[in-house]
Amino acid sequence: MSRSKRLLSLLDLLRQSRRPVSASQLAQRLNVSVRSIYRDIATLQEQGAQIEGEAGVGYQMVSGFWLPPLNFTSQELEALVLGMRWVTRQADPALAQSAESCLGKVLSELPADLADEVTHNTLLVGPTASLGDDINVARLRAALQAEFKVEFKYQDKVGHNSQRVVWPMALGYFQTALVLIAWCEVRQDFRHFRVDRLNELVIKDEARYPTPRRTLMNQWYEQQQISKPLPF
């Protein structure tokens, strides 16, 4: 991790905590030495970050730093918390951690009484089935962002296996399945693949597909107006 990225991560950790965090705890989360944390805190303070605390006591971000006041209605906050809780339970670890970070940033800017009410609201996310191997999901998200082709072995619902090279377009989070929407080179058409049926997935990082992903998505949307619903 570069130092600039580490400084941003350190700010996020401080922003998410409503209590002072020790240098040793921060060092453990960022996988660096305590001495590095001391230096990073000093650098952030010199750059204007409103961080209170000292070595041996702990550090805490002053409320309001970097984020403008957030004016949400109670129902908007309930929707936000419910959505973030769903992501932390349903998505791969990297995306789940991002959801926790996002929610922490919002809660840190709310008045204490409202933050407490939101944190202890009555809308919960129940247990969910695994939608796919976390490593495969993370790889697919990376391929989507970079517009790289991916190759994998696929087992359909009746157990037939095939080798596919596809152009990833989107991931659809259904209640019981995570679905990859892609252009399939074998079928020369749009296809939908359950991620939990993918095996030996490889990102072909030397091969960007020729048609922009947004163009493909527009074509897919047009096709869905006249085609059957997704088969899941």
Side-chain angles (χ1 to χ4, degrees):
M1 180 187 299
S2 66
R3 187 163 190 252
S4 60
K5 186 174 181 180
R6 189 175 77 233
L7 291 174
L8 291 174
S9 297
L10 179 56
L11 282 173
D12 281 342
L13 290 174
L14 291 170
R15 188 182 291 113
Q16 293 169 34
S17 178
R18 304 188 69 84
R19 297 180 179 179
V21 186
S22 69
S24 60
Q25 290 175 312
L26 293 169
Q28 185 176 12
R29 289 291 301 275
L30 296 175
N31 196 28
V32 297
S33 68
V34 171
R35 180 172 296 182
S36 293
I37 294 297
Y38 291 153
R39 289 198 297 265
D40 290 347
I41 292 289
T43 297
L44 291 171
Q45 289 173 331
E46 290 173 359
Q47 294 177 353
Q50 300 175 30
I51 301 172
E52 295 180 343
E54 56 183 298
V57 177
Y59 298 96
Q60 187 173 22
M61 183 78 72
V62 175
S63 178
F65 178 66
W66 274 13
L67 281 179
L70 299 173
N71 298 311
F72 292 112
T73 67
S74 295
Q75 289 191 357
E76 287 173 340
L77 286 170
E78 284 188 331
L80 177 65
V81 172
L82 182 62
M84 293 301 99
R85 284 177 174 171
W86 187 90
V87 174
T88 60
R89 295 294 296 269
Q90 197 78 340
D92 60 280
L95 197 57
Q97 185 175 359
S98 295
E100 290 181 353
S101 174
C102 177
L103 186 58
K105 291 176 182 178
V106 172
L107 293 178
S108 70
E109 297 305 309
L110 295 176
D113 57 341
L114 186 55
D116 183 72
E117 179 183 342
V118 170
T119 302
H120 298 93
N121 71 26
T122 56
L123 302 180
L124 304 177
V125 177
T128 56
S130 175
L131 300 185
D133 182 85
D134 289 336
I135 295 177
N136 280 347
V137 177
R139 287 173 178 167
L140 288 172
R141 289 201 297 108
L144 281 164
Q145 292 176 0
E147 297 190 0
F148 285 144
K149 298 180 182 182
V150 297
E151 183 174 7
F152 52 79
K153 290 183 178 179
Y154 188 68
Q155 184 177 76
D156 64 20
K157 60 183 179 182
V158 297
H160 295 156
N161 292 292
S162 59
Q163 191 77 19
R164 304 296 183 99
V165 175
V166 306
W167 308 353
M169 294 157 43
L171 285 171
Y173 284 79
F174 293 78
Q175 185 172 0
T176 58
L178 177 59
V179 177
L180 172 65
I181 303 169
W183 173 267
C184 178
E185 292 188 352
V186 175
R187 304 302 187 203
Q188 286 295 295
D189 199 358
F190 297 111
R191 286 292 185 269
H192 311 112
F193 303 94
R194 284 185 54 140
V195 175
D196 57 352
R197 295 176 182 163
L198 305 185
N199 294 293
E200 301 179 22
L201 186 145
V202 176
I203 298 177
K204 301 175 74 65
D205 53 12
E206 78 288 353
R208 298 191 66 174
Y209 40 86
T211 304
R213 180 165 52 84
R214 291 185 180 183
T215 301
L216 291 171
M217 283 302 300
N218 289 335
Q219 295 172 356
W220 178 81
Y221 281 127
E222 291 177 2
Q223 187 185 85
Q224 295 310 300
Q225 298 302 315
I226 57 175
S227 64
K228 297 179 181 179
L230 295 178
F232 304 106

